[in-house]
Amino acid sequence: FTLDMDTTALAPGEYQVVFAADGSTTGFAAFDVKRSHPLYVVVTTDWDDADTSDEALALQDDLHAEHPELLLTHFVGPYTFTDPEVSPERREILVDWLLGMEQNFEDEVGLHIHPYCNFVDQVDELIGVDPIPCITDQSTVYSTDTSGYTIRCGAYTEEEFTNLLLASDVLFEENGLKKPTSFRAGGWTAEIHTLRAMANAGYVADTSANNWARMEEWAGPFMGTLYEWNRENWATINDTSQPYYPSNANILEPGDDYVPVLEV
């Protein structure tokens, strides 16, 4: 037998389905079913590189085609607009794709920062501040990284990172995108002063808190310190520890004195 039944009126809980012959008040079979609370799936993508490939864009197009109700957050890097290897024509293609995702699917465009030097070195000109030296010796993978890609976001001070965020806003708006209000740090390497910088720059949500136990592929002596950094700095983060507003005293806990950026 096959039964299609609308369960939208049923509250979450356990129910029993009883089968009976037509006209009979006595059941001949029964089984239990459980109606759960709704499961909300959030999909995010990190633009680690300046140029996201057409293949990666097509995979996201496929997700939308197969799951029309799905919403994606695209964490876009500001270095898309500062890397000299990305042509103006390619940047326009990427922006047009993002705008299409917003318009057609109500996707969100957020911000993702790996502090590439080609971006950090342009911050002073973008927002009229003193130059920020690009850090190359606080990598989570290598002894040095002259590109800046694997440098911890927390290596930059609150003031410096505030300026990186404000410069990103300028780049987004100059290229036809809205000011982003959600963020994820490259390598999840946000610290409490990084969150304060987000609040300074008008960001309302951060998604850097990492369930580090799920990144076991980064564990080991040849993979740098990324796994160890996340295990130490996001020690208590697990499947159900978020969302919360982090305390100024401890990024891992909520508190009355908190940073007004929701940690998700």
Side-chain angles (χ1 to χ4, degrees), residues 10-56:
L10 296 179
E14 295 185 354
Y15 297 89
Q16 188 177 68
V17 177
V18 178
F19 287 93
D22 291 348
S24 173
T25 59
T26 301
F28 64 82
F31 68 94
D32 296 327
V33 295
K34 180 180 291 185
R35 175 168 170 77
S36 73
H37 288 275
L39 176 64
Y40 293 95
V41 177
V42 178
V43 177
T44 66
T45 61
D46 294 353
W47 288 39
D48 284 359
D49 300 318
D51 187 354
T52 295
S53 69
D54 289 338
E55 180 183 8

Side-chain angles (χ1 to χ4, degrees), residues 23 30 35 62-63 87 92 99 109 118-119 131 159 161 164 175 185 187-188 191 207 209-210 221 228 249 263:
R35 175 168 170 77
D62 291 344
L63 270 176
S87 69
E92 185 175 354
L99 293 175
V109 177
N118 66 57
F119 163 58
E159 180 181 1
F161 208 81
L164 264 61
N175 287 276
W188 309 279
E191 300 178 35
T207 65
N210 177 26
E228 295 300 329
E263 189 60 61

Side-chain angles (χ1 to χ4, degrees), residues 181-253:
T181 57
S182 60
F183 180 82
R184 178 176 294 141
W188 309 279
T189 55
E191 300 178 35
I192 193 65
H193 65 274
T194 316
L195 268 65
R196 295 191 191 105
M198 294 179 213
N200 297 340
Y203 285 71
V204 300
D206 174 57
T207 65
S208 303
N210 177 26
N211 189 354
W212 55 269
R214 297 188 180 274
M215 56 179 290
E216 67 280 354
E217 67 273 16
W218 278 95
F222 304 108
M223 302 299 289
T225 62
L226 184 63
Y227 179 81
E228 295 300 329
W229 189 95
N230 278 275
R231 182 169 69 170
E232 178 180 348
N233 287 270
W234 298 118
T236 59
I237 297 299
N238 56 45
D239 288 339
T240 59
S241 56
Q242 300 138 281
Y244 65 96
Y245 283 101
S247 164
N248 268 295
N250 186 346
I251 196 172
L252 295 173
E253 298 178 355

Side-chain angles (χ1 to χ4, degrees), residues 23-188:
S24 173
T25 59
T26 301
F28 64 82
F31 68 94
D32 296 327
V33 295
K34 180 180 291 185
R35 175 168 170 77
S36 73
H37 288 275
L39 176 64
Y40 293 95
V41 177
V42 178
V43 177
T44 66
T45 61
D46 294 353
W47 288 39
D48 284 359
D49 300 318
D51 187 354
T52 295
S53 69
D54 289 338
E55 180 183 8
L57 301 181
L59 289 171
Q60 295 168 78
D61 291 335
D62 291 344
L63 270 176
H64 274 310
E66 295 176 14
H67 307 281
E69 71 282 9
L70 191 66
L71 300 179
L72 279 70
T73 295
H74 309 273
F75 287 114
V76 177
Y79 28 83
T80 291
F81 308 111
T82 61
D83 190 329
E85 298 297 319
V86 183
S87 69
E89 294 77 18
R90 180 60 181 172
R91 291 171 186 166
E92 185 175 354
I93 289 172
L94 293 172
V95 168
D96 287 346
W97 184 85
L98 287 166
L99 293 175
M101 294 297 102
E102 284 186 321
Q103 180 177 350
N104 297 327
F105 302 104
E106 298 184 1
D107 283 359
E108 178 189 19
V109 177
L111 178 66
H112 185 56
I113 288 183
H114 285 273
Y116 283 100
C117 290
N118 66 57
F119 163 58
V120 175
D121 290 343
Q122 294 191 34
V123 169
D124 58 329
E125 295 182 4
L126 286 166
I127 59 173
V129 296
D130 291 336
I132 299 174
C134 187
I135 298 172
T136 60
D137 63 351
Q138 298 194 46
S139 169
T140 57
V141 183
Y142 312 109
S143 57
T144 59
D145 183 352
T146 57
S147 74
Y149 168 55
T150 61
I151 302 302
R152 293 184 300 104
C153 286
Y156 289 86
T157 67
E158 178 180 338
E159 180 181 1
E160 290 170 336
F161 208 81
T162 298
N163 288 334
L164 264 61
L165 294 168
L166 294 175
S168 300
D169 292 351
V170 170
L171 287 168
F172 273 45
E173 292 169 2
E174 285 181 350
N175 287 276
L177 298 173
K178 300 174 185 175
K179 171 190 163 38
T181 57
S182 60
F183 180 82
R184 178 176 294 141
W188 309 279

